[in-house]
Amino acid sequence: MSSNSITTASLFTLLEGTWTGQGRGQFPTVKSFDYREILTFTRRDEKTLAYEQRAQKRYDGQTEWLVSHWENGFIRELENGELEMINAQIGRSEVLIGSVESLDTVICIRFVSKTITNDARMISSARTFELDGDSLRYEMEMQTTAVDNSTKHLEVTLRRMK
């Protein structure tokens, strides 16, 4: 965590539930696309939050949504106060380390990859979550063997499902 006043337990309570929304995907080596996802956070204990992310995409000019991404993982608090995100996807797994910052009503969580396995194309990834009440903005960026700099890949705004 960070030096702000939010605890991991209260952060996980705020995230817990199902979120859904739409956004945009892009990357220099792929065709741009509309993106929608359902993201579910489930509390395991005070220091562990499980999540499932299921997404669909629709390439520019298409009307049909295609299955895009399915990921499962955990976010947990480490002994040093940092957050760790561990996820498994088809063809890749990642371990990311994160920190939390509160800015007025917005809680920002930023994760940066520590380890990526089973995908030789990936060099690094980063994820940013901005929680503001019942709105959760999410960005994912990555660096690959084909793209030298960390570059935005996904941007989506999710709303808490009631």
Side-chain angles (χ1 to χ4, degrees), residues 48-74:
T48 309
L49 190 68
Y51 77 93
E52 178 182 58
Q53 182 181 40
R54 296 182 92 166
Q56 296 177 317
K57 63 184 171 185
R58 181 176 57 198
Y59 290 108
D60 292 348
Q62 291 185 322
T63 56
E64 183 181 339
W65 288 96
L66 308 168
V67 172
S68 172
H69 183 79
W70 188 354
E71 174 177 313
N72 288 291
F74 295 94

Side-chain angles (χ1 to χ4, degrees), residues 15-18 25 29 36-37 41 43 46 53 61-62 68 76 78 86 96 106-107 111 125 129 136 147 156 158 162:
L15 288 171
E16 193 170 18
T18 300
T29 59
R36 67 183 184 187
E37 80 172 44
F41 292 104
R43 188 72 167 272
E46 275 191 26
Q53 182 181 40
Q62 291 185 322
S68 172
R76 68 184 182 124
L78 299 174
I86 301 170
L96 301 99
V106 178
I107 300 168
F111 290 99
S125 69
F129 295 88
L136 181 62
V147 178
V156 61
L158 307 167
K162 301 280 181 184

